[in-house]
Amino acid sequence: NKVAQLSHEQRSCGIVACSAGNHAQGVAFSAIKLGIDAVIVMPTGTPSIKVDGVRKLGGRVVLHGDTYDEAAAEAALADAEAARAEARAAHAEARAAHGEAEAGRHRTTGSSRSSGYS
């Protein structure tokens, strides 16, 4: 499973994924078992049993868009925004330590828009 193969640094970044069903539950399950924060973006029409399943497994659900493609775009934006926020924080820490920092972000999937996911 790809989640289990993430490095410690990658795990600390969390996961943003898009899914409308069983994949979402699998990602949430794996992430929580490994102590990784998981945000799952799902289309607004996703059956409540699937949404509830992700939440029960410990994943944070963001409902967005009428289609999978709209939800995937939202997931990509959220992932990109979280990466920028982490890069800014790393840069600030590096300056405080009078050193240089290199920030990297690795996610299992893309995410779309930023709405306070990180």
Side-chain angles (χ1 to χ4, degrees):
N1 161 331
K2 187 170 184 174
V3 176
Q5 295 175 9
L6 296 174
S7 69
H8 177 71
E9 182 179 335
Q10 291 170 318
R11 290 177 185 200
S12 70
C13 294
I15 295 172
V16 177
C18 179
S19 176
N22 294 336
H23 177 255
Q25 293 178 57
V27 170
F29 177 80
S30 296
I32 299 309
K33 284 288 187 185
L34 295 169
I36 304 169
D37 181 45
V39 174
I40 313 295
V41 182
M42 306 175 91
T44 57
T46 301
S48 60
I49 192 165
K50 301 291 185 179
V51 174
D52 293 343
V54 170
R55 287 181 175 143
K56 286 178 184 174
L57 291 167
R60 288 189 293 146
V61 175
V62 174
L63 297 174
H64 180 85
D66 294 327
T67 66
Y68 176 86
D69 289 343
E70 291 174 354
E74 177 67 16
L77 286 176
D79 188 50
E81 184 173 298
R84 284 191 301 273
E86 286 182 21
R88 285 191 303 270
H91 179 69
E93 289 176 20
R95 288 183 58 146
H98 301 286
E100 292 183 85
E102 187 174 314
R105 174 115 185 133
H106 305 280
R107 297 280 185 161
T108 58
T109 63
S111 186
S112 67
R113 196 183 309 164
S114 163
S115 297
Y117 300 113
S118 54

